[in-house]
Amino acid sequence: MKKLILLPIGMAVIIASLYFGFHLLGKHIYNRKDCSRFNIDNIELRTGINIPATTEVKCNCEDNHKTSTIDIDTSQVNIGDYITKNKFQRNGENYVNNGDTKNTTWTALLDDKTGKLIIDIDYKN
């Protein structure tokens, strides 16, 4: 009888631990304002822009501003599909995606010919 009671309780504890662990990891990644760890994940969480396969990533962080230059691997990524899925709009020679939330302001500039993606993020808090 004890096994019937302990098994659901044990499973509930494991599920709750996993949920809170992943929640805390996501929060940790979202709150990072540097270039060292979780840079691409932070960009994806803050901007909603998917970062696909890359060949090189350069990043510069100062105070509450980050600029990342990302070379998309165009041999693996269809740039036309990428532009559509990530809601980039043509702006002169390049494509742009920008936004503003209560925590972040960003501008992403994509050169569809070279696959170079430049993302500027301003952290508000």
Side-chain angles (χ1 to χ4, degrees), residues 57-72:
V57 177
K58 295 177 184 172
C59 183
N60 182 33
C61 297
E62 295 177 12
D63 298 323
N64 284 331
H65 182 82
K66 178 182 352 185
T67 300
S68 291
T69 303
I70 301 164
D71 292 333
I72 296 173

Side-chain angles (χ1 to χ4, degrees), residues 41-64:
D41 298 316
N42 177 268
I43 292 168
E44 290 176 334
L45 286 173
R46 291 281 183 155
T47 66
I49 297 171
N50 179 46
I51 307 299
T54 63
T55 57
E56 185 176 18
V57 177
K58 295 177 184 172
C59 183
N60 182 33
C61 297
E62 295 177 12
D63 298 323
N64 284 331

Side-chain angles (χ1 to χ4, degrees), residues 24-46 57 59 66 68 123:
L24 289 174
L25 177 62
K27 194 171 185 175
H28 173 72
I29 292 169
Y30 184 84
N31 289 328
R32 293 205 57 114
K33 297 179 182 175
D34 60 8
C35 293
S36 60
R37 295 180 68 196
F38 305 115
N39 181 39
I40 289 177
D41 298 316
N42 177 268
I43 292 168
E44 290 176 334
L45 286 173
R46 291 281 183 155
V57 177
C59 183
K66 178 182 352 185
S68 291
Y123 299 102

Side-chain angles (χ1 to χ4, degrees), residues 1-122:
M1 188 64 153
K2 275 188 171 183
K3 289 182 181 178
L4 290 175
I5 294 172
L6 292 177
L7 185 63
I9 291 172
M11 290 191 58
V13 167
I14 289 170
I15 291 170
S17 297
L18 286 171
Y19 172 79
F20 287 114
F22 285 123
H23 178 73
L24 289 174
L25 177 62
K27 194 171 185 175
H28 173 72
I29 292 169
Y30 184 84
N31 289 328
R32 293 205 57 114
K33 297 179 182 175
D34 60 8
C35 293
S36 60
R37 295 180 68 196
F38 305 115
N39 181 39
I40 289 177
D41 298 316
N42 177 268
I43 292 168
E44 290 176 334
L45 286 173
R46 291 281 183 155
T47 66
I49 297 171
N50 179 46
I51 307 299
T54 63
T55 57
E56 185 176 18
V57 177
K58 295 177 184 172
C59 183
N60 182 33
C61 297
E62 295 177 12
D63 298 323
N64 284 331
H65 182 82
K66 178 182 352 185
T67 300
S68 291
T69 303
I70 301 164
D71 292 333
I72 296 173
D73 187 352
T74 55
S75 68
Q76 295 185 34
V77 178
N78 181 315
I79 293 293
D81 289 344
Y82 180 77
I83 289 167
T84 303
K85 288 178 184 175
N86 289 283
K87 301 177 182 154
F88 281 89
Q89 302 293 319
R90 168 120 4 235
N91 185 3
E93 293 288 315
N94 298 308
Y95 288 86
V96 69
N97 179 333
N98 53 25
D100 188 15
T101 66
K102 75 176 193 174
N103 297 321
T104 311
T105 301
W106 77 88
T107 299
L109 190 65
L110 173 65
D111 183 337
D112 62 327
K113 294 169 190 67
T114 63
K116 188 172 292 286
L117 176 63
I118 300 170
I119 300 177
D120 284 315
I121 297 176
D122 286 314

